[in-house]
Amino acid sequence: MSSARACETSGYTVHRQGDFAVATVAQRVQDCADCAGTGLLRSTVTENARTYDVVQPCPRAKMISRAAAFSEAHLPAVHAPASFDNFRPSNTEQARAVQRARDFALRFPQTRGYVLSGPVGTGKTHLMCATLKHLSLEVGARVAYVEISLLYAQIRRGFQDGKSGGEIIQPLSQVDVLAIDELGKGRGSAFELDTLDELIARRYNAGRVTLFATNYSLRSPEDRAQRGYLGTDALVESAKESKLLCDRVGDRIYSRLCEMCEFVEFPGNTADQRRAKNAAERVPNGPPRR
Ligand SMILES: Nc1ncnc2c1ncn2[C@@H]1O[C@H](COP(=O)(O)OP(=O)(O)OP(=O)(O)O)[C@@H](O)[C@H]1O
Ligand SMILES: [Mg+2]
């Protein structure tokens, strides 16, 4: 079912449909007066006294194909309205994050990715979705969104159907821009670390841009240098209690993130906008207003 909360992006309407955000274009290509429903614009060009027939894709047909690709990217439905303009920074790190996300979208593909770290409800997924939306609809990049623990679950289910992890990872390793959400979440098992390692290594090796969001801190622990490299078993044990991303994902992945991305970390006291919204909607001594 479509939500009434839709977002207009230069000719597209982005709205919720089931679990995901989908984009539509107001006019169907069949009704396009410019190309008479063919998807192609024909014109003639005269150069050096010779006349050529030129055929170009109709801009509306291009929009329809971008909208279809966006709808396949599986952005969470709740973030259908997310944009750079409706993100309101509450501190300098958030202002830096929205600026970084905008710059990324404008400079793509000549740019590194980013990692956003911060407490819950501080707009990390909002900014990643705004970035993917812009790149998909305005630039025509192939994008995808994945929440990492849902990917692990999908791969485990795939095993039962005889599918390998590699088969499921393949399309995610090939898109122009992949957003990996909730990095570091999960049980930190060897299976999870190997899956994440494979996905990130494939993208790193191919030089593809990746965006990340995490609740874990991007700081390096003081004792990291003395402790040295950790193998998988030692890593699984040490990572369980850690609040640091480098412990959660391990040295190999963290090292690649440092090269692939710019890091932005929101302070621990950045307000949770879900709670702020709930508080604003409450009447004194009463239930939340709906
Ligand atoms: N600075 C902001 N300006 C406008 N809306 C915001 C801002 N921060 C968060 N929101 C809104 O608050 C809600 C929660 O944001 P979001 O899901 O992006 O948080 P998050 O940092 O990804 O949280 P979590 O760590 O729990 O995944 C969304 O509806 C989002 O649009
Ligand atoms: Mg999030």
Side-chain angles (χ1 to χ4, degrees):
M1 207 177 51
S2 293
S3 153
R5 268 186 93 196
C7 154
E8 297 277 346
T9 309
S10 38
Y12 299 98
T13 303
V14 180
H15 54 99
R16 302 172 179 198
Q17 195 170 78
D19 292 350
F20 304 113
V22 300
T24 49
V25 180
Q27 195 178 21
R28 298 180 312 156
V29 76
Q30 295 94 305
D31 303 331
C32 177
D34 296 338
C35 70
T38 62
L40 297 171
L41 291 181
R42 293 169 197 281
S43 57
T44 52
V45 174
T46 305
E47 219 175 76
N48 299 332
R50 297 184 67 174
T51 301
Y52 303 91
D53 287 330
V54 178
V55 179
Q56 288 174 307
C58 172
R60 186 155 293 106
K62 195 166 79 180
M63 285 177 73
I64 288 169
S65 109
R66 286 183 182 182
F70 172 85
S71 304
E72 292 295 306
H74 287 171
L75 271 65
V78 69
H79 289 291
S83 72
F84 300 129
D85 289 339
N86 64 17
F87 184 84
R88 294 172 304 278
S90 63
N91 52 43
T92 50
E93 287 80 2
Q94 283 197 321
R96 190 158 85 82
V98 68
Q99 189 56 46
R100 180 69 190 91
R102 263 185 208 279
D103 285 353
F104 173 86
L106 294 176
R107 287 195 204 144
F108 176 83
Q110 263 76 48
T111 179
R112 291 200 301 161
Y114 58 74
V115 185
L116 300 180
S117 156
V120 298
T122 53
K124 302 179 298 296
T125 307
H126 177 124
L127 282 179
M128 285 208 303
C129 288
T131 308
L132 294 185
K133 203 157 107 180
H134 180 95
L135 287 173
S136 174
L137 298 178
E138 309 301 331
V139 180
R142 291 172 309 144
V143 306
Y145 168 95
V146 68
E147 193 185 313
I148 200 65
S149 52
L150 298 184
L151 177 67
Y152 299 146
Q154 190 191 348
I155 293 176
R156 282 201 189 90
R157 279 197 308 276
F159 289 153
Q160 289 156 16
D161 304 331
K163 274 195 188 159
S164 69
E167 272 176 75
I168 293 169
I169 283 176
Q170 175 86 347
L172 296 175
S173 57
Q174 288 184 334
V175 291
D176 299 323
V177 183
L178 175 67
I180 301 182
D181 209 350
E182 311 285 2
L183 186 64
K185 195 172 151 186
R187 282 177 291 187
S189 67
F191 158 75
E192 292 178 354
L193 289 172
D194 287 348
T195 301
L196 187 61
D197 187 293
E198 184 177 345
L199 178 57
I200 292 177
R202 283 196 199 198
R203 293 193 63 82
Y204 171 82
N205 292 340
R208 297 208 172 93
V209 186
T210 313
L211 311 176
F212 300 90
T214 182
N215 292 125
Y216 291 93
S217 172
L218 302 175
R219 277 176 291 130
S220 293
E222 298 295 326
D223 66 342
R224 209 73 173 87
Q226 287 112 52
R227 206 168 62 188
Y229 173 80
L230 292 179
T232 302
D233 290 343
L235 179 66
V236 167
E237 279 315 303
S238 82
K240 278 181 185 154
E241 303 303 323
S242 180
K243 300 277 181 264
L244 302 179
L245 185 69
C246 58
D247 285 333
R248 296 291 302 178
V249 300
D251 291 337
R252 272 179 52 81
I253 293 172
Y254 190 77
S255 166
R256 282 163 179 72
L257 295 186
C258 291
E259 189 176 327
M260 293 165 88
C261 294
E262 189 177 322
F263 289 2
V264 184
E265 182 155 354
F266 301 158
N269 63 359
T270 307
D272 174 349
Q273 291 301 318
R274 299 188 192 102
R275 289 170 63 170
K277 193 168 167 227
N278 180 278
E281 286 174 349
R282 271 174 196 276
V283 289
N285 304 322
R289 273 189 260 145
R290 291 286 168 219

